Amino acid sequence: MNKPLVSLLLGLPMLHATATGTVIFADTFDRADSRNIQQSVSGITNNTGTAFEAGGDPSGTPVYLHSHIDPLSTFANNFGAPDTVASNGGAARISGNMLNLAAEQPGTSNAIVNHNFVNAAILAAGGFSVSLDVDTAPGGGNANGNGGGFAVGMSFAEAMATGDAFDGASRMTGGFGTAINGATIIPAAVASDFWVVLRANGSLTWGAGAGTTGIFGVTSLGSNLAGNITVNFLLDDFDAGSTVNYEVFFNDISRGTGSFIWSGANENYIGIEGRSSIGPLLDNFSVNTIPEPSAALLGLLGWTFLLRRRR
């Protein structure tokens, strides 16, 4: 039995990776080079309902917040050059109309969208999709501890408590670090309900933390050190304990399907993360609603899927 048919029978999302619903948030990072990644809101499409402010002042409503970033490269220090302490993390910067995380200094840096993605539009559509272009080639080596990706399903407090992706007591993603690089991870160390990362050794890996134990999938991409990661999430609600079905795509090819559990009610902060000696380049980040399936797909999914969407 082929994978698409298995996914349809299980009620998992089989929407094409390039299909688009309503844009809730998108960032092309097309703005001037700067360590202040939000000095302007150029390149940002904002339909979240949150009124973001340019400038990056955390006392206001900036587009992004950072839970782990070099302290010298923050608003408080006028976005200066990072220090030489790897454990402090690297800078975040706009470089060549792309986002460069873990920049200029070895370590981790991240960016958390300052919005809780539990929009009514997501529930009305029956799910959401997150997409990000990742280029690990600037990462300075082929280690599985380098790369970039994103995480969903965090509370604000969980997101803002995450630290170094390699050995932090709390981590946004679970794809890096010798302690969690094998078949299992330490669930208590990962704050998100789902994460996915492209690593500089040419592997794509995804899993969960707070609600479920384990790495869900690891697939070798050979020499593919850059490409698009898209994950479609199909859900009924944002209640704690509810099941979310997902499908992972890399470069528009399905790489795996499965499910995880929301660990907290109405908690869906989304963050992007990078880790390396130089820093991955990230681009074209977006959060969309799941598009309405075609009539043919609805026919294949059957009445249970229709009832779930109507409810």
Side-chain angles (χ1 to χ4, degrees):
M1 187 176 291
N2 61 36
K3 182 178 290 185
L5 183 55
V6 169
S7 296
L8 290 173
L9 291 175
L10 291 175
L12 297 177
M14 276 305 302
L15 298 168
H16 200 252
T18 55
T20 56
T22 301
V23 175
I24 300 175
F25 178 87
D27 195 347
T28 64
F29 305 105
D30 291 345
R31 42 192 180 271
D33 288 1
S34 175
R35 292 192 191 95
N36 180 358
I37 68 171
Q38 49 200 320
Q39 62 176 334
S40 80
V41 293
S42 176
I44 294 174
T45 301
N46 177 26
N47 296 313
T48 62
T50 297
F52 296 131
E53 302 170 359
D57 185 348
S59 66
T61 311
V63 183
Y64 295 103
L65 298 167
H66 304 284
S67 65
H68 193 74
I69 190 171
D70 190 280
L72 297 184
S73 302
T74 60
F75 180 86
N77 287 298
N78 200 29
F79 302 102
D83 60 28
T84 59
V85 181
S87 60
N88 283 345
R93 65 181 180 180
I94 301 296
S95 178
N97 291 332
M98 290 182 281
L99 174 64
N100 184 197
L101 291 178
E104 302 178 79
Q105 165 64 34
T108 299
S109 66
N110 57 34
I112 301 154
V113 183
N114 193 16
H115 175 77
N116 190 15
F117 286 90
V118 293
N119 298 61
I122 291 175
L123 294 178
F128 66 102
S129 179
V130 181
S131 184
L132 179 69
D133 293 345
V134 180
D135 183 358
T136 69
N142 61 358
N144 54 19
N146 298 341
F150 59 81
V152 309
M154 296 177 284
S155 69
F156 180 79
E158 287 172 335
M160 294 306 295
T162 55
D164 191 278
F166 188 81
D167 58 6
S170 178
R171 309 168 202 181
M172 183 177 292
T173 62
F176 308 119
T178 54
I180 54 176
N181 218 19
T184 60
I185 63 172
I186 306 169
V190 179
S192 61
D193 289 343
F194 180 91
W195 53 265
V196 59
V197 296
L198 175 64
R199 303 187 294 189
N201 67 346
S203 64
L204 182 74
T205 184
W206 60 92
T212 308
T213 302
I215 287 179
F216 293 159
V218 179
T219 184
S220 176
L221 303 171
S223 60
N224 281 316
L225 301 182
N228 173 264
I229 304 171
T230 296
V231 184
N232 292 333
F233 301 96
L234 194 67
L235 53 90
D236 290 330
D237 53 52
F238 291 102
D239 296 344
S242 290
T243 298
V244 182
N245 294 318
Y246 70 85
E247 183 165 20
V248 177
F249 295 86
F250 183 76
N251 285 347
D252 211 27
I253 298 173
S254 179
R255 306 293 174 163
T257 59
S259 63
F260 62 94
I261 304 297
W262 286 130
S263 66
N266 297 313
E267 295 177 353
N268 192 26
Y269 278 84
I270 297 175
I272 45 184
E273 183 172 69
R275 185 183 188 279
S276 77
S277 58
I278 301 175
L281 293 172
L282 310 170
D283 205 359
N284 298 317
F285 174 55
S286 66
V287 181
N288 296 354
T289 63
I290 289 290
E292 185 69 27
S294 67
L297 183 57
L298 284 173
L300 287 171
L301 287 171
W303 65 270
T304 54
F305 180 81
L306 286 171
L307 286 176
R308 183 165 66 244
R309 288 182 68 87
R310 287 172 181 170
R311 185 169 71 247

